[in-house]
Amino acid sequence: MATVQVSEAEKVYILHGIRDDLRVDGRGCEDYRHMEIETDVVSNTDGSAKVTLGHTAVLVGVKAEIGKPRPTVPAEGYLEFFVDCSANATPEFEGRGGEELGTKLSNTLYKVFNNKRSIDLKSLCICAGEHCWVLYVDVLLLQCDGNLYDAISVAIKAALFNTKIPKVHISSDEEGGKEIELSDDPYDCMRLNIENVPCIVTLCKVGHRHVVDATLQEKACSVASLIISVTHKGTITCMRKVGGGSLDPESIFEMTEAGKRVGKALHAPLMKLLEQEESLGKKRQKVGFLG
Amino acid sequence: MLKSKTFVKKTRSGGVMKVVREHYLRDDIWCGSEVCTECKQESTVLQKDACMESSLCSYPHYLVPDTNVVLHQIDILEDPVICNVIILQTVLQEVRHRSAPVYKRLKDIIHEKEKRFYTFTNEHHRDTFIEREPGESANDRNDRAIRVAVKWYSQHLKTFESDTDGLKVVLLTNDQGNKQKAQDNGLLVYKCEEYVKSLIANPELVDRLALSSDDKNEITSSKVLFPEHLPLSRIQTGIKSSSFLQGTFRASRDNYLEATVFVQGEGEDGTEVLIQGLQNLNRAVHQDVVAVQLLPRSEWVAPSSVVLQDEGTAKDDEDAEEEEGKLRTAAAEAARKPTGKVVGIIKRNWRPFCGMLNVSQIKESTRHLFTPADRRIPRIRIETRQASTLSGQRIMVAIDGWPKDSRYPNGHFVRSLGGAGEKDTEEEVLLLEHDVPHQAFSQAVLSFLPKMPWAITPEDMMKREDLRPLTVCSVDPPGCTDIDDALHCRELENGNLEVGVHIADVSHFIRPGNALDKEAANRGTTVYLCGKRIDMVPELLSSNLCSLRSNVDRLAFSCIWEINHKAEILKTRFTKSVINSKASLTYAEAQMRIDDTNKNDDITKNLRGLNKLAKILKRQRIEKGALTLSSLEVRFHMDSETHDPIDLQTKELMETNSMVEEFMLLANISVAQKIYDEFSECALLRKHPAPPPSNYDILIKAAKSKEVEIHTDSAKALADSLDAAKVDGFPYFNTLLRILATRCMMQAVYFCSGMDSDFHHYGLASPIYTHFTSPIRRYADIIVHRLLAVAIGADTTYPDLMDKHKQSALCNNLNYRHKMSQYAQRASVAFHTQLFFKSRGILNEEGFVLFVRKNAIIVLIPKFGLEGTVFFDSKDKVSPNIVFEEEGPTLSVEQHKFHIFDKVKVTISLDDSNIQHQKIRMALIEPVIPGVSVPPPDTERPAKKQKLDR
């Protein structure tokens, strides 16, 4: 991941600031940077969203394809994740530089999103044991400025909200041969219920306190952070610790409490925003990548 | 402005794919109207005073047909009366999607300048493009797009109203819903029928209206005659699960209640499924692609040998049921064949059919039945008000549909071809029925012709070898104007001979991919009828620029050999050249020069040299096992004024015929080898497969009856035994045997070398062969020219030439066209023979028995090259005692026994009781069999009878 060099004096400055709940850019410890969301930005996907958080920018596309269900869960569809760390984001990703980070990120995403408590995987089933929808979630990192997990999770939630899966129905003849039939109307499609899709909140332990949405400088001052996925009800569905340092149980408790609070507060405006954008329909002027 | 079009489609593997296409909108699409001053168009199509006199629209107007009007009423649109029509892109795309033939016809109309059809690309126009709304079907969206475009046009033209006499745009649609919506939008809209009926000057157009579905409702009887066809999706799943079979429907010529469906199996072989009975045939028409379901084995039947023709006028099912009963004859288990029923139609293959009208007995009725000339096509019910004028004429009718409650398909009148039995009409009919494209060349095609006056440019000269000083001459049949080959022969300094075959360089004029090339590829071959030629390429090329006429400079593709006096080829080379033929001779003229010892000019020496070599070549070829077969070809002497045949003679072959032929064969073989060496995957070659041994059964049996042995193990053995076959006192025997042998042969076909492994040409005993020498009249030769030109670096290649699948598809078309042109030629000869005998009355002639059938003998009259059948059982007479023996084969009639090759005497007359199917009738005079043979006719009669002037 992108790193910055921070001098001792800077570190002290940041640490002291955070102690007083005043961060370098003027935020409090539980404040996010400015976030922008736009959905339906890539026309050849079934659902897409672009999220910028500070200078971090991620693009998520969801493609629905028909596949075979996993044998253990024949009546459910599933999700596949792929994170592409483009060298656009930072020169470190050049060549195969981003691969490791990509795998790390996508492993976390599997844990967080690919379960039936987040998404109703049954609704992705077309024909038990034979056909189901597989949602390929492709994440493209456009720019790294800290806090990738949170930005990606918000973008995935927005993209899943935007996803339109063409409606199909199964016709069968006398011999039991089954045929998938497609609706002729491109507007005839299925939407996903994303109510329970969690968002990730990353909390960075800086000094004795913790902050959300750490910038790269703040990250450099931190030894460990906690990644928590929180649903709109405030339930924690997944938790991971990253970073080399250690966390004592007490601060873990504090951090999870803060994560719950922040996560819950993140969901409500996000949903409101997405619905507002949807209601504009085709009349909405698209911003895209050049806006 | 950029929009994107999104749709989902199913992939072949069963997945679902979202496809996004970019769609650009423009603001520089002009309206095409003469009156418009706003659009910056360079040329306009639509006229200012667009007058079609209609009682509904008294003002000038442009027509905008919707998709269904174009699809169903293309016959109307083709009429010269209809002009100033705007074809919207939406309509054009939909038509293209739904019917390729209609699309082609529509494109042809659009290209025709006089018709003034304008294509408006409304889908790319900024103001007329619309996006599909949620909940809107694709069809509704297209209808809306059409309405929006019409609205745009009417507002656009309104601004110039003062200059025009209220020029308006009229939408034609047959869809009630669409019409209503258009009216609500304030557009001028009519149903197609309403509009056509309102045309004041042209009431006959009404007949050409296709019956739309609304009309059909009127004649609905409660009775449903046929089972419903299954929807395409059901058929497809059925075929996938192999509960249905897909195949081509082939109706029986003799029995209208019977048909077979040819199911293409793996590779070459296929199976046939028998279909019997109206219900099972289920409205399939000859050549349709259908889905059939096999019946349980217990219901399988044998093909009936009964001849049944649909005779009733407008009868419905009762009689049919009765006739179907006749079919149910108990058949031996072994004779039963897989039997099935048609469950659905995958693709209709309807074309306009030629035939005649059976006028309804009810005088006022406008509904009549139409009987097609092709017996395999069912009768068609049409509606016309001109029945009285059309009776006795050959007409063309198109099928519109076949509802399940109607005994016959519904159709509409397309055009009249002229009086039945007239020469021009019958010629037209036989061209149409044999699917020979014979329309005049379109403007698009003609535009690719070189501009006249044409001359060889210095650039052409640079690239070509100048062979003008050579004494080149051509030898062809008399009256030939499309000379595609010329020859020369000269002695070289080393004593060897140089022989050149110069072939018209057609590929210089016909460049790949243009309209001219496509048209020629489609036509495939020039069709020669008696006294008429249907050109493959426009006349300017065929009879002038490409034709290697004497004393003019012409471009040629030359194949030049160095040959020693033993006719061994020492060197072969190919070059593009310029030649100047010194003489265009006929076979007879050339023969005379060779024989005339007083003549010693260059040309004659040339010819003698060629002739000498040709004889050696021929001998060598025959030694290798080439077959000399025989078929009788006749030539008609035509009356110069009436063009009726006045005399008929079988063609004579001269030495010079064979001289030209030898060198053509040599050139073809040399070229075949060259292009195959160069392009082993995509050389266009011609093969002649060896016939299966069973084909020769009849030949061996027939020869045996005269105690002659025929060996058929190899071509060489066959050729030798044919040469040896002679019977004393029967000089014609050998020719007859060769005629029989010809019938045993397989068809020679074009193929692409990359798609086949067997190249052998059986008849010519050559391991490889192609066609190179007649590019003016055969398209295959043009392709071979192109390949050869690429091989010697004289021309550039293009992708399709090197694509073996495209090449193979082309071969299929060429083979089909070639076969059809032969049929057409035969039909033309048959028709002229009939004309000839019509004016001759009854003749009696000597002939030979060529085949023996169960109830008839087939007699060949050598004098006319005519074959006819003498039946021994007829409907109205008591049949004589007939015994047929398979071994032999012989046929005993009363006391007399007929063998193959027996000499008989017959009377020949024309049977014109059925005007659509006139035929030559033969009756036996000698040997005299009481009760069977007829007395010899009064020979005085024909002499008195003058030729009929019609």
Side-chain angles (χ1 to χ4, degrees):
Chain A
M1 189 181 300
T3 45
V4 284
Q5 297 292 324
V6 188
S7 68
E8 275 309 307
E10 278 178 297
K11 259 188 192 164
V12 171
Y13 180 72
I14 291 168
L15 275 167
H16 286 192
I18 288 173
R19 198 180 56 200
D20 301 336
D21 199 13
L22 183 64
R23 294 157 72 176
V24 180
D25 48 12
R27 285 184 288 160
C29 281
E30 291 182 11
D31 292 339
Y32 272 96
R33 283 170 288 175
H34 177 70
M35 191 189 287
E36 274 177 15
I37 304 173
E38 189 182 8
T39 58
D40 203 10
V41 283
V42 185
S43 57
N44 53 3
T45 59
D46 293 290
S48 59
K50 191 189 144 209
V51 167
T52 53
L53 178 63
H55 287 297
T56 298
V58 290
L59 174 68
V60 172
V62 179
K63 285 209 108 181
E65 277 177 28
I66 292 178
K68 227 174 154 49
R70 301 233 151 103
T72 46
V73 274
E76 289 179 7
Y78 58 94
L79 285 80
E80 291 275 6
F81 292 91
F82 180 76
V83 182
D84 185 3
C85 306
S86 84
N88 239 10
T90 148
E92 286 165 55
F93 291 156
E94 218 175 298
R96 312 184 67 170
E99 233 166 63
E100 199 189 331
L101 175 69
T103 323
K104 213 160 80 186
L105 283 168
S106 56
N107 283 342
T108 310
L109 295 177
Y110 272 110
K111 279 223 176 79
V112 173
F113 294 102
N114 192 18
N115 59 63
K116 54 184 169 223
R117 273 167 294 281
S118 314
I119 295 177
D120 182 14
L121 292 176
K122 284 211 169 72
S123 70
L124 294 178
C125 175
I126 300 168
C127 172
E130 287 185 39
H131 302 291
C132 69
W133 286 110
V134 182
L135 299 182
Y136 290 92
V137 180
D138 294 313
V139 180
L140 177 65
L141 302 184
L142 297 169
Q143 202 170 354
C144 287
D145 187 26
N147 204 13
L148 286 176
Y149 284 101
D150 296 25
I152 292 172
S153 75
V154 169
I156 289 178
K157 181 156 181 161
L160 288 173
F161 174 83
N162 179 238
T163 299
K164 299 176 184 79
I165 301 171
K167 266 192 192 149
V168 292
H169 63 99
I170 302 278
S171 64
S172 52
D173 51 23
E174 305 91 70
E175 285 84 31
K178 280 174 186 158
E179 190 74 18
I180 294 175
E181 276 171 33
L182 259 181
S183 163
D184 157 62
D185 185 357
Y187 291 95
D188 188 17
C189 50
M190 178 176 85
R191 304 297 288 266
L192 293 165
N193 181 6
I194 57 142
E195 201 186 9
N196 292 323
V197 174
C199 281
I200 298 176
V201 179
T202 312
L203 295 125
C204 268
K205 182 90 178 165
V206 182
H208 294 288
R209 295 195 64 156
H210 48 259
V211 293
V212 297
D213 189 19
T215 60
L216 286 176
Q217 284 86 356
E218 289 166 335
K219 186 83 192 273
C221 304
S222 143
V223 284
S225 39
L226 204 57
I227 293 167
I228 309 170
S229 67
V230 190
T231 64
H232 70 115
K233 289 190 189 121
T235 341
I236 293 178
T237 58
C238 182
M239 194 154 92
R240 271 186 72 187
K241 197 216 85 171
V242 290
S246 59
L247 294 172
D248 62 273
E250 204 170 315
S251 57
I252 291 179
F253 179 74
E254 270 175 34
M255 283 159 90
T256 41
E257 283 305 307
K260 271 199 225 172
R261 208 165 44 238
V262 174
K264 213 171 155 183
L266 183 61
H267 276 290
L270 175 64
M271 281 312 286
K272 206 177 131 200
L273 208 70
L274 288 174
E275 262 151 30
Q276 202 183 336
E277 189 183 34
E278 172 86 2
S279 67
L280 290 173
K282 291 218 165 221
K283 291 187 296 262
R284 178 170 70 91
Q285 274 291 313
K286 283 189 185 175
V287 181
F289 300 92
L290 303 171
Chain B
M1 199 155 78
L2 173 69
K3 295 257 179 192
S4 65
K5 265 191 188 168
T6 309
F7 55 95
V8 274
K9 79 171 191 196
K10 239 170 79 175
T11 59
R12 219 177 278 170
S13 56
V16 169
M17 200 164 68
K18 185 175 173 187
V19 182
V20 180
R21 296 257 163 83
E22 288 184 342
H23 190 87
Y24 293 85
L25 299 185
R26 332 178 41 129
D27 49 10
D28 58 351
I29 293 171
W30 315 131
C31 68
S33 171
E34 213 170 55
V35 302
C36 180
T37 49
E38 216 171 76
C39 296
K40 298 178 204 68
Q41 47 210 349
E42 278 163 10
S43 64
T44 55
V45 176
L46 302 164
Q47 289 167 305
K48 185 174 175 182
D49 48 344
C51 258
M52 282 173 276
E53 274 182 61
S54 160
S55 57
L56 281 174
C57 326
S58 48
Y59 35 80
H61 54 277
Y62 300 150
L63 290 176
V64 186
D66 78 351
T67 315
N68 277 323
V69 170
V70 174
L71 279 175
H72 301 306
Q73 313 290 3
I74 186 81
D75 288 331
I76 298 271
L77 295 179
E78 273 177 348
D79 195 275
V81 174
I82 307 287
C83 50
N84 287 307
V85 176
I86 300 163
I87 300 292
L88 300 176
Q89 189 192 8
T90 317
V91 173
L92 200 62
Q93 281 169 344
E94 247 188 308
V95 167
R96 177 175 171 173
H97 190 66
R98 290 184 32 198
S99 165
V102 175
Y103 178 70
K104 168 139 198 317
R105 287 166 74 181
L106 185 61
K107 287 295 269 187
D108 285 345
I109 304 177
I110 292 169
H111 282 302
E112 224 173 289
K113 281 215 176 70
E114 292 74 47
K115 291 285 286 171
R116 303 198 170 272
F117 272 50
Y118 180 68
T119 344
F120 182 64
T121 42
N122 63 319
E123 296 283 354
H124 290 280
H125 193 287
R126 186 190 274 267
D127 299 328
T128 55
F129 172 74
I130 55 159
E131 270 182 281
R132 192 163 158 186
E133 304 267 319
E136 194 175 39
S137 78
N139 276 336
D140 288 345
R141 185 252 160 219
N142 285 344
D143 283 345
R144 192 158 61 90
I146 293 168
R147 291 198 299 272
V148 168
V150 173
K151 181 104 188 159
W152 179 85
Y153 251 107
S154 41
Q155 276 164 358
H156 183 74
L157 293 177
K158 209 170 226 159
T159 43
F160 316 105
E161 212 168 23
S162 48
D163 315 339
T164 62
D165 316 332
L167 185 64
K168 286 190 172 77
V169 179
V170 174
L171 173 65
L172 291 185
T173 176
N174 283 336
D175 179 347
Q176 193 59 49
N178 192 12
K179 189 182 168 190
Q180 190 58 49
K181 277 186 197 146
Q183 268 167 344
D184 294 347
N185 280 352
L187 302 177
L188 269 172
V189 56
Y190 294 109
K191 279 194 166 186
C192 192
E193 279 110 275
E194 286 177 335
Y195 181 79
V196 172
K197 281 177 186 161
S198 79
L199 288 174
I200 297 159
N202 301 73
E204 78 278 358
L205 260 186
V206 178
D207 283 353
R208 297 207 202 157
L209 274 173
L211 295 175
S212 65
S213 50
D214 296 9
D215 289 359
K216 279 176 209 152
N217 291 341
E218 292 166 26
I219 34 173
T220 303
S221 58
S222 54
K223 221 169 191 173
V224 174
L225 287 168
F226 296 101
E228 189 91 56
H229 287 150
L230 294 179
L232 207 56
S233 56
R234 285 277 301 281
I235 294 174
Q236 274 163 348
T237 49
I239 290 169
K240 236 183 209 170
S241 66
S242 62
S243 55
F244 300 151
L245 297 170
Q246 176 176 346
T248 320
F249 185 87
R250 293 178 183 168
S252 156
R253 211 179 276 274
D254 300 322
N255 188 335
Y256 77 101
L257 292 174
E258 206 172 86
T260 53
V261 170
F262 183 79
V263 181
Q264 185 74 43
E266 294 290 315
E268 291 282 292
D269 54 311
T271 46
E272 279 194 336
V273 179
L274 185 71
I275 316 273
Q276 217 172 55
L278 268 188
Q279 291 274 320
N280 291 344
L281 293 173
N282 199 1
R283 293 171 282 160
V285 177
H286 186 63
Q287 288 294 329
D288 284 351
V289 180
V290 297
V292 286
Q293 186 178 22
L294 283 182
L295 296 173
R297 200 168 267 270
S298 57
E299 288 175 42
W300 286 12
V301 291
S304 69
S305 49
V306 195
V307 175
L308 270 184
Q309 273 181 44
D310 197 359
E311 300 286 3
T313 40
K315 67 172 180 190
D316 273 337
D317 48 343
E318 295 88 355
D319 300 2
E321 270 165 28
E322 191 182 295
E323 283 181 347
E324 271 178 53
K326 281 193 217 163
L327 292 176
R328 306 257 179 277
T329 43
E333 193 68 37
R336 293 191 184 182
K337 284 206 171 152
T339 310
K341 62 176 183 190
V342 174
V343 291
I345 309 281
I346 295 162
K347 187 167 172 279
R348 287 287 192 192
N349 240 334
W350 292 341
R351 56 183 172 95
F353 300 105
C354 302
M356 291 185 72
L357 200 67
N358 298 36
V359 178
S360 166
Q361 268 112 358
I362 309 158
K363 242 190 196 149
E364 298 78 31
S365 174
T366 54
R367 288 186 209 292
H368 305 275
L369 271 183
F370 161 85
T371 311
D374 189 341
R375 288 213 187 90
R376 293 169 298 195
I377 306 297
R379 299 211 261 165
I380 302 165
R381 185 179 276 132
I382 65 164
E383 207 170 323
T384 176
R385 283 161 195 77
Q386 351 166 32
S388 50
T389 39
L390 291 182
S391 68
Q393 285 193 358
R394 291 274 199 171
I395 59 172
M396 257 174 118
V397 162
I399 303 186
D400 297 326
W402 197 340
K404 59 178 185 243
D405 46 32
S406 161
R407 172 74 173 73
Y408 298 108
N410 294 319
H412 67 271
F413 166 70
V414 179
R415 67 194 172 104
S416 167
L417 302 171
E422 276 170 35
K423 231 181 77 165
D424 290 344
T425 316
E426 296 302 324
E427 223 151 50
E428 178 89 11
V429 168
L430 79 88
L431 288 174
L432 286 167
E433 284 300 298
H434 290 97
D435 196 14
V436 176
H438 61 285
Q439 302 82 2
F441 288 97
S442 70
Q443 278 305 323
V445 170
L446 295 176
S447 70
F448 286 98
L449 289 178
K451 300 283 164 294
M452 291 303 281
W454 173 87
I456 299 173
T457 61
E459 291 94 79
D460 287 337
M461 284 305 292
M462 293 262 290
K463 288 184 221 152
R464 288 166 184 272
E465 207 166 317
D466 189 357
L467 300 179
R468 284 177 293 186
L470 291 178
T471 314
V472 173
C473 66
S474 64
V475 185
D476 284 284
C480 177
T481 58
D482 49 349
I483 304 168
D484 37 26
D485 50 75
L487 296 156
H488 88 267
C489 172
R490 63 169 181 181
E491 199 144 338
L492 294 175
E493 281 163 14
N494 60 7
N496 289 333
L497 293 168
E498 182 193 76
V499 175
V501 167
H502 310 276
I503 307 297
D505 191 6
V506 182
S507 62
H508 174 85
F509 296 99
I510 300 181
R511 303 310 298 165
N514 67 25
L516 179 58
D517 181 48
K518 283 186 184 141
E519 180 70 23
N522 179 39
R523 294 191 178 212
T525 172
T526 293
V527 180
Y528 294 88
L529 304 181
C530 302
K532 194 172 178 175
R533 188 176 83 199
I534 317 295
D535 276 326
M536 178 179 83
V537 295
E539 193 167 3
L540 177 67
L541 290 181
S542 69
S543 303
N544 186 357
L545 298 186
C546 288
S547 182
L548 303 176
R549 297 189 297 183
S550 51
N551 301 320
V552 280
D553 289 354
R554 285 288 175 256
L555 300 181
F557 206 147
S558 305
C559 174
I560 299 167
W561 301 280
E562 190 178 330
I563 297 181
N564 63 16
H565 286 276
K566 283 184 213 147
E568 285 162 353
I569 297 171
L570 306 172
K571 239 186 249 169
T572 309
R573 71 187 176 97
F574 307 100
T575 179
K576 292 235 174 181
S577 60
V578 180
I579 61 160
N580 189 322
S581 171
K582 300 291 176 285
S584 313
L585 306 171
T586 65
Y587 290 123
E589 280 167 8
Q591 190 68 54
M592 258 151 56
R593 275 174 184 256
I594 292 172
D595 296 343
D596 186 351
T597 44
N598 298 328
K599 281 211 163 173
N600 262 322
D601 54 305
D602 268 357
I603 296 170
T604 314
K605 274 196 237 162
N606 231 333
L607 288 170
R608 288 200 188 118
L610 287 168
N611 200 29
K612 212 177 91 198
L613 283 175
K615 280 183 189 162
I616 308 173
L617 283 170
K618 185 168 189 184
R619 207 184 56 230
Q620 287 174 347
R621 209 160 53 79
I622 287 173
E623 271 165 18
K624 264 193 262 166
L627 296 174
T628 329
L629 298 173
S630 177
S631 61
L632 289 176
E633 279 187 76
V634 288
R635 245 196 117 73
F636 290 95
H637 288 274
M638 300 284 191
D639 186 308
S640 54
E641 275 164 44
T642 60
H643 295 288
D644 280 339
I646 45 178
D647 200 3
L648 184 158
Q649 71 179 131
T650 48
K651 276 185 196 163
E652 265 181 80
L653 289 181
M654 273 173 277
E655 235 175 29
T656 42
N657 284 51
S658 123
M659 173 187 92
V660 173
E661 193 190 336
E662 281 313 316
F663 285 105
M664 294 306 130
L665 291 177
L666 198 63
N668 284 338
I669 294 170
S670 297
V671 171
Q673 194 60 51
K674 173 79 180 170
I675 59 172
Y676 178 64
D677 289 347
E678 209 75 24
F679 308 105
S680 60
E681 280 295 291
C682 55
L684 192 150
L685 302 175
R686 188 166 172 85
K687 68 169 175 182
H688 183 211
S694 61
N695 274 23
Y696 288 121
D697 286 356
I698 185 78
L699 179 70
I700 295 172
K701 274 185 195 168
K704 221 179 207 165
S705 69
K706 296 281 176 215
E707 275 138 20
V708 170
E709 278 229 46
I710 297 288
H711 300 281
T712 58
D713 320 332
S714 67
K716 170 90 178 125
L718 178 65
D720 289 346
S721 49
L722 279 176
D723 285 341
K726 283 198 178 81
V727 172
D728 288 337
F730 192 0
Y732 204 64
F733 173 71
N734 195 276
T735 313
L736 280 175
L737 216 51
R738 286 185 199 273
I739 291 174
L740 266 187
T742 312
R743 307 277 163 99
C744 303
M745 294 297 151
M746 307 281 287
Q747 270 281 346
V749 287
Y750 296 110
F751 68 103
C752 173
S753 61
M755 307 291 277
D756 211 320
S757 54
D758 173 29
F759 296 177
H760 194 75
H761 198 290
Y762 181 79
L764 296 172
S766 169
I768 193 163
Y769 192 66
T770 193
H771 271 164
F772 169 73
T773 52
S774 303
I776 299 180
R777 58 185 179 89
R778 287 190 307 235
Y779 189 75
D781 302 52
I782 296 185
I783 292 289
V784 170
H785 273 225
R786 287 181 187 158
L787 286 166
L788 186 64
V790 175
I792 63 166
D795 207 343
T796 49
T797 178
Y798 58 100
D800 284 5
L801 191 67
M802 296 295 148
D803 184 331
K804 63 175 176 180
H805 296 283
K806 290 224 170 99
Q807 189 87 263
S808 183
L810 178 71
C811 288
N812 286 342
N813 180 48
L814 294 180
N815 288 330
Y816 169 73
R817 292 291 186 204
H818 184 73
K819 192 173 75 189
M820 286 328 247
S821 87
Q822 279 186 328
Y823 289 164
Q825 268 162 50
R826 266 181 237 165
S828 172
V829 169
F831 173 67
H832 279 83
T833 317
Q834 286 162 12
L835 276 186
F836 177 73
F837 284 106
K838 189 174 205 164
S839 53
R840 289 292 175 286
I842 300 171
L843 294 175
N844 46 356
E845 286 297 336
E846 264 183 16
F848 298 98
V849 178
L850 202 57
F851 291 108
V852 175
R853 296 264 184 261
K854 270 183 182 149
N855 59 351
I857 51 170
I858 292 162
V859 177
L860 177 82
I861 315 287
K863 186 174 169 190
F864 302 126
L866 174 74
E867 246 172 74
T869 315
V870 178
F871 285 101
F872 294 114
D873 54 346
S874 53
K875 275 178 197 156
D876 26 285
K877 275 198 284 186
V878 192
S879 353
N881 190 10
I882 311 177
V883 183
F884 177 72
E885 278 169 61
E886 192 82 49
E887 282 310 308
T890 58
L891 184 73
S892 308
V893 182
E894 299 291 342
Q895 299 83 24
H896 189 85
K897 201 172 197 178
F898 287 100
H899 295 91
I900 290 187
F901 302 139
D902 280 359
K903 194 181 253 189
V904 290
K905 243 185 195 168
V906 291
T907 66
I908 308 168
S909 60
L910 184 72
D911 178 6
D912 53 4
S913 55
N914 181 348
I915 189 119
Q916 278 214 62
H917 299 283
Q918 297 191 356
K919 55 190 170 208
I920 301 289
R921 192 185 357 227
M922 288 193 182
L924 196 66
I925 312 174
E926 256 181 43
V928 179
I929 304 170
V932 177
S933 57
V934 294
D938 193 356
T939 41
E940 291 293 300
R941 248 193 2 224
K944 280 183 200 161
K945 201 154 184 172
Q946 288 301 310
K947 56 173 195 268
L948 285 173
D949 269 301
R950 288 189 66 111

